[in-house]
Amino acid sequence: MMKDNNLVRHLDACETMGNATAICSDKTGTLTTNRMTVVQSFICGVLHKSSPKYENLPQPPADIIITAISLNSAYTSRVMPPDNPGDLPKQVGNKTECSLLGFVLDMGKDYQTIRDDTPEEKLHKVYTFNSVRKSMSTVIPLSTGGFRVFTKGASEMVLKKCSYIFGKEGKLLRFTQEDQDRLVKNVIEPMACDGLRTICVAYKDYIAKPAQPNQVKCDSEPDWDDEDKIINELTCLCVVGIEDPVRPEVPEAIKKCQRAGITVRMVTGDNINTARSIAMKCGIIKPGEDFLVIEGKEFNRRIRDSHGDVEQQLLDKVWPRLRVLARSSPQDKYTLVKGIIDSKLHTNREVVAVTGDGTNDGPALKKADVGFAMGIAGTDVAKEASDIILTDDNFSSIVKAVMWGRNVYDSIAKFLQFQLTVNIVAVIVAFVGACAVEDSPLKAVQMLWVNLIMDTLASLALATELPTAELLLRKPYGRMKPLISRTMMKNILGQGIYQLTIIFFLLFLGHKFFDIDSGMYAPLHSPPSEHFTIIFNTFVMMTLFNEMNARKIHGERNIFEGLFTNPIFYSILLITAGAQVSYNLKQI
């Protein structure tokens, strides 16, 4: 599993994953490449389909945009030259911020020069990003006196706090509610429907002598703890559309999950239109299907009673059709996972797997039957709360975990089917022989030999079968299904009856059939007779062939299919047969 990018922290998670019926997945980095690029921008009333050049933009808005992006980002986020010529630049740190910094470079400016002029220790106040306000703000002192507040975040959240906007040719305009609605309809929604994440960049000035209507008079330092008042009445600088392409292997991986009876749900903090577009590209939702795509606010409205408490019966009306939960918080993810697990809608309760990378994803990862943390982008808290770590942050690795889980389950079932058949036949033969002819056809040493080659070696042979794509063509077993299925029971009984019939025929009629001396009623401690040696060899050989039968436990007819794909299996088969021949030669 490690070779398939699954670092297993809890071994029982392997088998559990084979029975998974639902996966609640993040979008960024798991379904997408997590390499973000600004591909569209709306600046000063003009929509640009490619990055505009600095000299073609109105001044001073262009200068403020570049400064806002450069300073209102973690200084650990940066874009570095590629290691090899022809490769894409390396993005280090927060990928969204890296895309914005790349946008500055594409405009022909250097963000590092601006950062050097305003080092981190000169930043007056930083409001770090959180999942509630979905924005980040930084306050810097102005050289002329006063302060400037830069804000960036989810476009619809930041735009609500904007009272001004730069229009064509950099003209400052009032930004009314009608203007906001028009901008959302004509710019943000089309970007989101193209699968782009939309980010709004805004600012606000606090100075002693305001010269512009968007500047706030400030004789003394504002109360920086009053965040709602500080980050309000902003001036919109630009809206950018960031592309995060879907991983090429993800649509096929999701198709495999759906074919295997696993429902994939996307839980993301992105705009609902962006989430819907990405889900459509991934194949999570398809035209004509009955599905539900809602935001976290609507989700909570539907599942909570008048007192604000989550009602399971209300949640049961939502989750079966839910495929995309947008603009969601980590608490929404936990509520959804818990609700699916606690649901009594189906006879077999759902087995839920969850992916997460942030510290706030810890509760959901803990609550899930199997928690997947991101090995690259995941925090230490998320990794500690998880059962399996995806070392490549790729959704397709989850499909491999499902295959391995089902393979583990099947390997246990295969060995049980084989072992029960061997033991049932051996015990009945020994018992009937002792009762009918006052001697067991299988001597004590022979029984030990059977146990050695059939228990130890057979368990190795049947447990080392590699997972195949066919494992994903069937539905999950279900938590309440018995380990020994009806098909396995038929195989055990059929093979047991067949072997007992042959052995009892040899026991009671074999000496006449082969015209040899009977081994029955022999004196105590007498050497093995030719009669009983035939029975012993026949039993071992039938058991060896049954070992091949045990590779198929779902009613498949061709037991030889894939026989030579597992060198350990056929090597043990040959070694066992060779050891049996050597044992007989020694007896001779």
Side-chain angles (χ1 to χ4, degrees):
M1 290 187 73
M2 187 64 194
K3 290 180 181 177
D4 284 334
N5 301 306
N6 284 267
L7 174 58
V8 180
R9 297 184 66 251
H10 302 137
L11 287 178
D12 59 339
C14 301
E15 189 270 330
T16 304
M17 196 58 211
N19 249 341
T21 58
I23 300 175
C24 295
S25 174
D26 285 340
K27 178 184 78 69
T28 305
T30 308
L31 301 176
T32 59
T33 59
N34 200 22
R35 182 178 179 84
M36 302 191 187
T37 311
V38 174
V39 294
Q40 293 185 32
S41 57
F42 180 80
I43 304 173
C44 296
V46 179
L47 179 63
H48 301 272
K49 294 287 187 177
S50 59
S51 298
K53 293 302 178 183
Y54 169 80
E55 55 270 14
N56 297 330
L57 295 174
Q59 304 297 321
D63 283 324
I64 303 175
I65 290 170
I66 290 167
T67 305
I69 292 173
S70 301
L71 300 183
N72 189 31
S73 299
Y75 278 35
T76 52
S77 297
R78 57 191 186 278
V79 180
M80 300 175 65
D83 293 330
N84 302 310
D87 290 349
L88 294 170
K90 290 195 297 183
Q91 295 183 341
V92 180
N94 183 281
K95 302 302 182 182
T96 304
E97 293 179 343
C98 286
S99 70
L100 293 170
L101 296 173
F103 180 57
V104 171
L105 296 175
D106 291 340
M107 285 197 290
K109 287 294 180 178
D110 183 14
Y111 66 86
Q112 192 58 49
T113 304
I114 299 170
R115 287 181 171 181
D116 292 341
D117 293 338
T118 309
E120 237 178 322
E121 54 269 19
K122 286 190 177 180
L123 300 180
H124 192 74
K125 176 77 174 179
V126 176
Y127 301 94
T128 56
F129 178 88
N130 69 42
S131 56
V132 177
R133 51 178 157 78
K134 296 190 181 296
S135 65
M136 171 188 180
S137 301
T138 300
V139 182
I140 64 166
L142 295 173
S143 57
T144 56
F147 303 92
R148 176 166 285 175
V149 181
F150 293 122
T151 297
K152 76 169 188 296
S155 55
E156 63 267 35
M157 307 287 279
V158 175
L159 284 176
K160 289 177 182 177
K161 299 176 181 180
C162 291
S163 301
Y164 302 91
I165 191 171
F166 284 110
K168 290 186 177 180
E169 299 179 359
K171 185 179 179 180
L172 187 66
L173 304 172
R174 287 289 300 180
F175 194 43
T176 63
Q177 184 62 49
E178 291 76 14
D179 295 329
Q180 290 184 27
D181 295 340
R182 195 179 305 115
L183 182 61
V184 169
K185 182 178 179 181
N186 297 333
V187 177
I188 294 175
E189 286 186 358
M191 284 185 181
C193 290
D194 287 339
L196 305 182
R197 171 184 286 182
T198 56
I199 300 291
C200 178
V201 181
Y203 84 107
K204 180 180 183 179
D205 282 341
Y206 288 93
I207 59 176
K209 295 179 180 180
Q212 298 289 337
N214 67 327
Q215 296 174 333
V216 179
K217 182 177 175 59
C218 177
D219 295 324
S220 60
E221 190 168 337
D223 180 10
W224 300 116
D225 292 331
D226 190 356
E227 188 178 330
D228 291 335
K229 186 177 180 180
I230 296 296
I231 307 172
N232 200 14
E233 296 186 357
L234 305 171
T235 301
C236 178
L237 288 166
C238 67
V239 175
V240 298
I242 300 174
E243 182 182 45
D244 187 10
V246 173
R247 290 180 183 267
E249 63 273 19
V250 162
E252 181 60 29
I254 288 178
K255 190 183 294 183
K256 288 179 180 178
C257 284
Q258 292 167 341
R259 199 185 303 134
I262 303 170
T263 302
V264 181
R265 295 176 174 86
M266 181 199 292
V267 184
T268 178
D270 278 350
N271 175 290
I272 189 168
N273 291 318
T274 304
R276 183 187 285 110
S277 175
I278 296 296
M280 193 74 74
K281 291 177 182 177
C282 292
I284 293 174
I285 57 177
K286 298 173 185 174
E289 288 186 349
D290 182 26
F291 56 79
L292 193 60
V293 178
I294 58 175
E295 290 185 334
K297 189 181 293 184
E298 174 66 14
F299 174 71
N300 281 285
R301 188 189 67 78
R302 292 191 183 198
I303 66 171
R304 296 183 185 274
D305 59 20
S306 55
H307 302 293
D309 298 325
V310 176
E311 286 283 343
Q312 185 63 46
Q313 59 183 10
L314 296 176
L315 189 53
D316 285 344
K317 295 178 181 178
V318 176
W319 73 260
R321 293 175 53 237
L322 182 66
R323 294 297 178 271
V324 178
L325 184 58
R327 283 286 178 245
S328 62
S329 66
Q331 180 61 38
D332 294 336
K333 180 188 278 191
Y334 174 81
T335 303
L336 175 62
V337 172
K338 183 178 184 299
I340 296 176
I341 290 175
D342 293 345
S343 177
K344 300 290 193 298
L345 274 181
H346 305 131
T347 306
N348 287 320
R349 86 153 175 86
E350 299 282 311
V351 178
V352 184
V354 171
T355 68
D357 55 8
T359 300
N360 291 337
D361 289 327
L365 290 169
K366 273 286 187 185
K367 182 63 181 175
D369 293 293
V370 182
F372 287 91
M374 302 298 110
I376 301 171
T379 62
D380 289 341
V381 173
K383 293 175 184 177
E384 191 64 30
S386 68
D387 301 296
I388 299 175
I389 297 173
L390 300 179
T391 57
D392 62 347
D393 290 12
N394 196 334
F395 183 88
S396 62
S397 298
I398 298 176
V399 180
K400 293 172 184 175
V402 174
M403 290 172 60
W404 276 106
R406 294 188 175 187
N407 190 60
V408 166
Y409 187 98
D410 280 6
S411 294
I412 295 169
K414 288 173 186 177
F415 180 65
L416 272 179
Q417 175 180 304
F418 174 76
Q419 191 61 34
L420 285 173
T421 306
V422 173
N423 287 340
I424 287 171
V425 172
V427 168
I428 292 177
V429 167
F431 177 76
V432 172
C435 293
V437 299
E438 299 178 3
D439 190 10
S440 172
L442 301 175
K443 304 301 180 183
V445 174
Q446 292 175 339
M447 277 291 209
L448 289 172
W449 174 248
V450 167
N451 273 330
L452 174 65
I453 63 173
M454 298 309 160
D455 287 12
T456 310
L457 295 179
S459 64
L460 279 174
L462 293 170
T464 52
E465 291 277 342
L466 293 174
T468 61
E470 285 72 25
L471 291 167
L472 298 175
L473 298 179
R474 57 177 171 81
K475 304 298 181 187
Y477 281 119
R479 295 177 67 87
M480 305 303 293
K481 186 177 177 66
L483 184 59
I484 301 175
S485 66
R486 186 174 296 178
T487 302
M488 289 170 61
M489 188 63 71
K490 289 178 182 177
N491 292 342
I492 293 170
L493 292 176
Q495 189 66 218
I497 291 170
Y498 159 71
Q499 291 188 20
L500 288 171
T501 302
I502 297 296
I503 289 173
F504 286 142
F505 169 79
L506 293 175
L507 176 61
F508 296 109
L509 301 173
H511 58 287
K512 297 178 180 178
F513 184 81
F514 291 108
D515 192 21
I516 56 177
D517 294 334
S518 172
M520 295 187 289
Y521 308 110
L524 192 64
H525 302 305
S526 58
S529 63
E530 188 179 357
H531 180 197
F532 279 13
T533 302
I534 290 174
I535 295 175
F536 170 59
N537 279 285
T538 303
F539 173 61
V540 170
M541 290 304 168
M542 286 193 297
T543 303
L544 281 179
F545 279 102
N546 188 38
E547 196 170 325
M548 285 190 283
N549 289 333
R551 294 178 61 250
K552 307 295 181 182
I553 57 172
H554 299 292
E556 299 95 334
R557 293 189 178 276
N558 185 6
I559 62 166
F560 299 106
E561 183 183 1
L563 180 64
F564 295 104
T565 59
N566 183 6
I568 295 178
F569 181 87
Y570 62 74
S571 297
I572 286 176
L573 210 62
L574 292 173
I575 290 169
T576 306
Q580 180 65 21
V581 172
S582 300
Y583 175 86
N584 282 284
L585 289 174
K586 186 179 179 181
Q587 295 298 314
I588 294 172

